[in-house]
């Protein structure tokens, strides 16, 4: 069974049973394939005796998006598995536990998180997650600091860069986020009603310059080992627990890109509350909550990253040069603002959307939200290199 | 003979003879080992019948500097050979031809350039090289443009980044250029007479901030495949010909680093003409020549790089975004200024010096030159991020 082939449910059960000391000997295992079938098979294996369960995630050798299918490397399963294991070491408790990785089958066996919900869905329902800012700021600070030249042996880091070279998945980001939305592309996908706003993206010189610079940083700036796709659909959550999943886009890139992914998705939810909130008061409350979360994530990330730097910094000059830490943190904030904008814009006019916006059934409200997301995104990008504080970012959101 | 061992002269002759169609059948080959024995063996093989000759360069598994010896990867021979072959394709005629690479023996067989002289020596002797600015600007523009995300397939580029990960040789640069000169280090090496100037480097906060930023770019900015050690001792030259050698430090880094290496060594020669020129008139003439060369290299590099971009740019947004090319080129100039300064300073107080300065036998003149190099280097570093033109760089040189 070691040559690659998509697993059957029975094979998945057999593999699950072979995970040592997980299921009891008398386990009665059932299996359900719960993936969307576009990129991966996801088997949910449950023991009806003990109630224990596992997830088997197997990469498929192709990607399917809106009917099209193209080949996609199975090496992403290795990247995902290795990154998950590393994240588990650097940010304990904030990712699913990995029990086994089988390179031949492109298969990862991991902790079942079905007691959690996907955060995007939770936010749409108006839920509050009091520990999220703390958890995600720890996740980002720990995983990024300890994989950067500030926090790990700089020669080992170069070997890690090599191990996480991820051309195929990076190309998806490069095309869908940093190219298509700003030109006429068959990949673009938006409603005729916002054609004027989409056209404005294609003719804004100031915007193009900044997107080109953000694109260049994505292509060249090996600052830390990113998650690479850290939106609210990659986060499982409860009031007590946060688990970041799906790091198959992991690669060495600019730290602000991971932060921007979180922010973009919180802010799209902020805009979409025009529809999802039950009333004006609920809307204002949920929006305030989201903006406070944005500020709190930055402030906690900032303090935690600097505390790690103070305690574990490996680079003498970076540790000691006066003003360097402030310079470094401000650039992260500026990059985060730019990438937030880029990730908002692409979810409105690009190939892949978010349900926060798309499932708004009132056309006028939905289109109004789409325009607002584009306005905020455009301003965040245009102003990213001059941004001085997280409050300035929030002001841009509020005034657009 | 395929397991690694340092070659004997007879083995070198046998390998040279096996290079197909190079030496005639009746060749009478003699061999001389001409390396300095610190890093590599260099065998010069000559046929007394045809007069034809070859170089065999074999990496040694250690480095020796000032009596100390430490292990050093033989993989650098692969990097050197692959980079030489790539340079030969991208900048034809500007590197020695490679006839054979043997990975087991860490051996490269290449064109003999003993009709050329090492440029550092030629400049000390006051020679003029009318084609150098043209040649080196072509070399830099071609090798860097076509290995950057602007000029090559961006997924292939990532695989090339992977292939040229070069931790051990990068560490030499990181330590000797971007750390030691700014702290108390056993690696430092300077005369007691300039202790005050060396101490000033260690207490200059503004300088440390800029060096930390330049160090970070060296560690993280995978802009193009650099030569990595492009000083005037790595250039063989005649009035008609320029050949760049020794790319064993090759890795993906910031474009300005290669330009800075050339500039630093031209400018140290500029300073050292206080001793080497025969008289005041010769000194002024040679110095003017060197500064004109600095300006001409930038202007030609700038125009050639942009012409390549215009003709061969692969990145839609980078090609089309208004203002991006200017932004890109200005950053290269600013980085080049910073790296020029860093490479000047390290040659005065760091481990490895240049004979332009060290062989000045008059103590007062030599120490005065050392101080002048440190002053120019410090100003170039401190002002690198605000530099607007190549003329401003020249003004800094003239006024220090």
């Amino acid at each position: 069974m070691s040559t690659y082939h998509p697993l059957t449910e029975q094979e998945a059960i057999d593999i699950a049973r072979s995970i040592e000391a997980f299921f009891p000997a008398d386990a009665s295992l059932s299996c359900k394939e719960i993936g969307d079938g576009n990129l991966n098979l996801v088997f949910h294996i449950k023991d009806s005796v003990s109630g224990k369960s596992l997830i088997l995630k197997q990469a498929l050798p192709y990607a399917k998006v809106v009917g099209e299918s193209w080949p996609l490397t199975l090496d992403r399963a290795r990247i995902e598995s290795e990154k998950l294991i590393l994240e588990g070491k650097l940010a304990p408790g904030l990712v699913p536990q990995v029990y086994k990785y089988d390179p031949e089958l492109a298969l990862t066996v991991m902790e079942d998180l079905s007691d959690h919900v996907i955060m995007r869905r939770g936010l749409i329902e108006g839920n509050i997650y009091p520990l999220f800012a703390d958890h995600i700021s720890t996740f980002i600070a720990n995983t990024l600091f300890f994989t950067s030249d500030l926090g790990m042996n700089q020669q080992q880091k170069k070997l890690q860069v090599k191990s996480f070279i991820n051309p195929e998945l990076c190309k998806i980001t490069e095309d869908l986020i940093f190219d298509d939305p700003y030109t006429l592309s068959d990949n673009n996908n938006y409603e005729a009603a916002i054609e004027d706003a989409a056209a404005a993206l294609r003719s804004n010189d100031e915007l193009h310059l900044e997107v080109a610079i953000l694109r260049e940083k994505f292509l060249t700036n090996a600052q830390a080992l990113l998650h690479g796709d850290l939106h609210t659909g990659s986060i499982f959550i409860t009031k007590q627990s946060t688990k970041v999943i799906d790091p198959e886009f992991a690669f060495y890139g600019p730290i602000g890109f991971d932060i921007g992914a979180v922010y973009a998705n919180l802010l799209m939810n902020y805009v979409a509350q025009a529809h999802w909130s039950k009333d004006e008061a609920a809307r204002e409350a949920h929006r305030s909550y989201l903006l406070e979360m944005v500020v709190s994530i930055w402030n906690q990330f900032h303090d935690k990253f600097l505390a790690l730097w103070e305690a574990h910094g490996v680079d003498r000059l970076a540790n000691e040069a006066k003003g360097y830490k402030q310079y470094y943190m401000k650039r992260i904030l500026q990059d985060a603002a730019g990438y937030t904008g880029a990730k908002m814009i692409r979810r409105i006019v690009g190939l892949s959307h978010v349900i926060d916006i798309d499932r708004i059934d009132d056309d006028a409200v939905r289109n109004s939200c789409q325009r607002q997301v584009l306005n905020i995104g455009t301003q965040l990008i245009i102003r990213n290199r001059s941004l001085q504080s997280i409050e300035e970012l929030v002001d841009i959101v509020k005034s657009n």
Side-chain angles (χ1 to χ4, degrees), chain A residues 21-47:
Chain A
F22 190 83
F23 291 113
D26 65 344
S28 170
L29 299 186
S30 64
C31 177
K32 200 174 164 193
E33 203 284 302
I34 56 171
D36 60 5
N38 284 342
L39 288 160
N40 304 290
L41 294 173
V42 180
F43 300 96
H44 182 252
I45 315 270
K46 188 165 182 181
D47 172 22

Side-chain angles (χ1 to χ4, degrees), chain A residues 57 80 83-85 87-88 91-98 110-111 113 116-119 132 134-141 143 226-238 241-248 258 261-262:
Chain A
K57 180 173 176 182
E80 173 168 357
K83 177 70 158 78
L84 264 182
I85 291 167
E87 288 170 350
L94 297 175
V95 293
Q97 195 178 339
V98 174
M110 66 183 112
E111 185 180 357
L113 299 169
H116 290 59
V117 299
I118 290 291
M119 186 177 186
F132 177 69
D134 177 25
H135 288 163
I136 201 69
S137 59
T138 296
F139 178 83
I140 298 170
T143 59
L226 306 187
H227 178 282
D229 194 27
L230 195 51
H231 57 82
T232 47
S234 295
I235 298 169
F236 269 119
I237 199 159
T238 69
S241 168
T242 304
K243 303 277 187 186
V244 176
I245 62 168
D246 288 355
E248 63 204 274
D258 269 0
V262 176

